[in-house]
Amino acid sequence: AAGGGEGGNNNMQFSYGTAGFRTKGDLLASTVFRCGALAAVRSHVTGRATGMVITASHNPEPDNGVKLVDSNGGMLPLAWEHHAEALANADGPEAMRAVLEALLAGGDSNEGGGEGHHHASATSTSSPSSHGA
């Protein structure tokens, strides 16, 4: 599903699932940017690396996806999936800022380790539009 803030598609909502966010590649740039911001904030808050993967996975050719990966290579914890949805569906810069500032203020100090973030991507025809984000 597409999400708020995607170039006027405010009536569409993103839902984060096992495969992260998936939609038409040309609608994903804002969400890729937002996931990058969330990965950076999560790395800062937890003190551990958070990965971000741009992938076409098993989607049809024009589709693409973006997902966040825990420092151990596993799925993003459920609580952070909800944060990802809130950020992806935030209506504009001020709402995005509010989500990120709340995460920075609240923290998630139960997690620790080495700080950093990582990025990987697929080579589908819709991937280049997502890389620009």
Side-chain angles (χ1 to χ4, degrees), residues 15-30:
S15 177
Y16 195 98
T18 303
F21 296 114
R22 294 181 303 161
T23 191
K24 301 293 182 199
D26 60 348
L27 298 176
L28 204 55
S30 174

Side-chain angles (χ1 to χ4, degrees), residues 4-6 8 16-17 34 39 43 56 63 68 74 91 95 105 126 128:
E6 295 294 342
Y16 195 98
R34 294 168 189 224
S43 292
D63 291 359
L68 299 170
D91 189 19
S126 59

